């Protein structure tokens, strides 16, 4: 359906329906799917947090380069041990 988690899904509607304003990203292909989702979420007005230690790319260089050049503009970089979840 696309490289972004919003494209062709009801993710945006579900987030809005549940009053969610912050998105925490983790997953595969830092420099592709995660980055596409991050940019879209930012453009839609969400606060975006990306877990550096919970994302990966096809190479360490690609992963680190994405965080260095793109993520700082649209996302807060953190690690999983620094995120506190509440119910």
């Amino acid at each position: 359906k696309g490289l972004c988690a919003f494209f062709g899904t009801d993710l945006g509607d579900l987030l809005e329906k549940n009053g969610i304003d912050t998105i925490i990203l983790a997953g595969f292909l830092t420099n592709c799917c995660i980055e596409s989702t991050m940019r879209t979420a930012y453009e839609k007005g969400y606060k975006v947090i990306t877990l550096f230690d919970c994302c990966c790319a096809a190479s360490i260089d690609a992963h680190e380069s994405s965080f260095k050049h793109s993520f700082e503009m649209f996302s807060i970089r953190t690690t999983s041990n620094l995120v506190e979840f509440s119910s």
Side-chain angles (χ1 to χ4, degrees), residues 7-71:
F7 182 75
T9 71
D10 62 350
L11 177 60
D13 293 335
L14 289 170
L15 295 171
E16 185 177 334
K17 177 182 172 185
N18 289 287
I20 295 171
D21 62 1
T22 302
I23 296 175
I24 299 174
L25 298 177
F28 182 61
L29 281 181
T30 307
N31 56 331
C32 186
C33 301
I34 300 299
E35 187 169 341
S36 294
T37 301
M38 171 204 59
R39 288 176 186 263
T40 301
Y42 178 85
E43 289 174 352
K44 290 180 174 284
Y46 292 99
K47 177 180 179 182
V48 182
I49 299 169
T50 308
L51 303 178
F52 182 80
D53 62 329
C54 294
C55 296
C56 65
S59 71
I60 293 171
D61 288 339
H63 174 72
E64 291 177 350
S65 180
S66 287
F67 272 92
K68 181 178 178 183
H69 297 290
S70 297
F71 281 76

